[in-house]
Amino acid sequence: MPKMKSHRGASKRFKTTKSGKVKRKKAYTSHILNKKSTKRKRNLRKSTHVSKPEEKNIRLLISK
């Protein structure tokens, strides 16, 4: 049986922190930025953590 491969798309989008949480970037930053306020765009730059129910599935995808 060959080795299981990690999901390459997921491993590019998600990283694990040292404490074990899964980190992700926020959406809505790619286009149509002129109608979004500066404050909103600034807050979208920050990374955030994945919610608890999704974290289990993402952890399976990125660590094979």
Side-chain angles (χ1 to χ4, degrees):
M1 191 81 181
K3 287 183 184 177
M4 290 294 288
K5 292 186 177 182
S6 61
H7 192 286
R8 299 310 293 157
S11 57
K12 288 170 189 175
R13 286 175 173 85
F14 303 102
K15 302 283 180 243
T16 51
T17 59
K18 212 163 188 178
S19 63
K21 293 177 182 173
V22 180
K23 194 168 72 169
R24 69 168 176 90
K25 295 198 87 169
K26 290 183 182 172
Y28 308 110
T29 57
S30 55
H31 60 91
I32 315 174
L33 298 170
N34 52 359
K35 63 173 76 169
K36 293 170 188 155
S37 67
T38 312
K39 182 181 177 181
R40 183 174 165 194
K41 288 187 279 188
R42 185 170 58 246
N43 287 328
L44 287 170
R45 273 188 236 143
K46 300 169 186 174
S47 61
T48 183
H49 296 297
V50 173
S51 63
K52 281 284 180 188
E54 293 174 334
E55 192 173 323
K56 184 183 173 185
N57 294 329
I58 291 165
R59 200 179 295 282
L60 283 171
L61 290 172
I62 61 178
S63 62
K64 296 263 170 134

